[in-house]
């Protein structure tokens, strides 16, 4: 898998959801909307193998008749934090040291030990099925919750998820080492 990949594809509505929203690109089944999809790593820096333990990020830009609609997410069903003020600390703890280009285990453990709510994602990060085989077999979970408003002005809160029709396939540790050329745990490991 390349580190970054942008695909030009279509989003096609498969079920009538007009009762949920006025957005015309979501109304009619079989209606197609042009989208651009971008996949990338989240934690590790440019040039890192994609077989390292890392959420896979994605961004989808929908080019609708009413304007652009952006959807961002990653391959984990939960996020690291719930309070946005902790975002800079979380990023700093997970990113590699700018001098050595290696993650500092003590910073990761320090952040998670002071944020016990983050333990849930910690278990996903070290799960055996968290290195996707490829983007086609990867689930995606939108980060944001959206307000959808229908014609009757009723508001629905909506999170978007990507469920692959061909199933989920992941690399186990031995496969990730063979494919990526490095140990998927080499940068994030428990002391």
């Amino acid at each position: 898998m390349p580190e970054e990949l942008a695909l030009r594809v279509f989003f096609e509505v498969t079920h009538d959801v007009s009762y949920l929203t006025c957005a015309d690109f979501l109304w009619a089944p079989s209606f197609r909307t042009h989208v651009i999809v971008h996949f990338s790593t989240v934690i590790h820096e440019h040039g890192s193998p994609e077989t390292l333990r890392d959420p896979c990020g994605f961004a989808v830009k929908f080019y609708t008749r009413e304007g652009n609609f952006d959807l961002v997410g990653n391959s984990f069903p939960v996020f690291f934090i719930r309070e946005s003020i902790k975002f800079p600390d979380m990023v700093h703890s997970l990113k590699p040291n700018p001098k050595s280009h290696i993650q500092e285990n003590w910073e990761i453990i320090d952040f998670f030990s002071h944020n016990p709510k983050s333990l849930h994602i910690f278990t996903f990060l070290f799960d055996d099925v968290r290195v996707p085989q490829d983007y086609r077999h990867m689930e995606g979970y939108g980060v944001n919750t959206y307000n959808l408003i229908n014609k009757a002005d009723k508001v629905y809160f909506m999170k978007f998820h990507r469920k692959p029709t061909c199933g989920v396939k992941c690399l186990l540790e031995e496969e990730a080492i063979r494919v990526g050329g490095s140990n998927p745990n080499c940068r994030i490991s428990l002391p």
Side-chain angles (χ1 to χ4, degrees):
M1 291 188 301
E3 182 175 319
E4 292 186 6
L5 178 66
L7 302 172
R8 298 185 81 166
V9 294
F10 290 96
F11 168 79
E12 186 173 334
V13 177
T14 57
H15 296 81
D16 181 11
V17 292
S18 59
Y19 65 95
L20 292 174
T21 182
C22 292
D24 72 344
F25 79 100
L26 295 174
W27 270 18
S30 302
F31 184 78
R32 286 184 164 191
T33 302
H34 178 71
V35 298
I36 291 184
V37 181
H38 176 85
F39 294 95
S40 65
T41 57
V42 173
I43 297 171
H44 298 289
E45 55 194 6
H46 186 74
S48 297
E50 289 207 9
T51 53
L52 295 175
R53 294 204 180 270
D54 189 355
C56 293
F58 67 88
V60 183
K61 184 176 284 292
F62 294 77
Y63 292 97
T64 77
R65 295 182 300 207
E66 298 173 318
N68 294 345
F69 174 70
D70 294 313
L71 175 65
V72 296
N74 64 47
S75 59
F76 287 6
V78 292
F79 198 62
F80 291 88
I81 54 173
R82 295 186 74 177
E83 301 88 2
S84 58
I85 196 164
K86 294 182 180 180
F87 190 78
D89 293 332
M90 183 230 16
V91 169
H92 180 74
S93 73
L94 294 169
K95 289 288 186 182
N97 182 317
K99 291 182 180 178
S100 66
H101 304 287
I102 296 174
Q103 281 181 307
E104 303 286 350
N105 288 336
W106 69 268
E107 285 191 84
I108 297 167
I109 300 302
D110 184 57
F111 175 79
F112 282 104
S113 67
H114 287 96
N115 296 282
K117 292 178 189 173
S118 298
L119 184 60
H120 193 188
I121 197 158
F122 204 60
T123 60
F124 278 99
L125 192 60
F126 287 98
D127 188 355
D128 281 342
V129 295
R130 280 298 128 198
V131 179
Q133 175 181 304
D134 52 46
Y135 297 127
R136 227 177 94 187
H137 295 95
M138 179 186 87
E139 290 180 305
Y141 301 92
V143 172
N144 301 307
T145 301
Y146 294 88
N147 290 339
L148 298 184
I149 304 170
N150 67 11
K151 286 185 178 181
D153 286 332
K154 186 170 181 180
V155 177
Y156 292 91
F157 294 102
M158 187 70 60
K159 285 196 73 110
F160 290 88
H161 299 312
R162 178 187 179 278
K163 300 291 184 183
T165 57
C166 54
V168 175
K169 293 183 181 173
C170 299
L171 300 174
L172 297 177
E173 186 172 347
E174 298 79 26
E175 296 169 308
I177 293 169
R178 189 181 76 248
V179 171
S182 63
N183 187 331
N185 299 318
C186 69
R187 300 253 179 108
I188 301 178
S189 58
L190 296 172

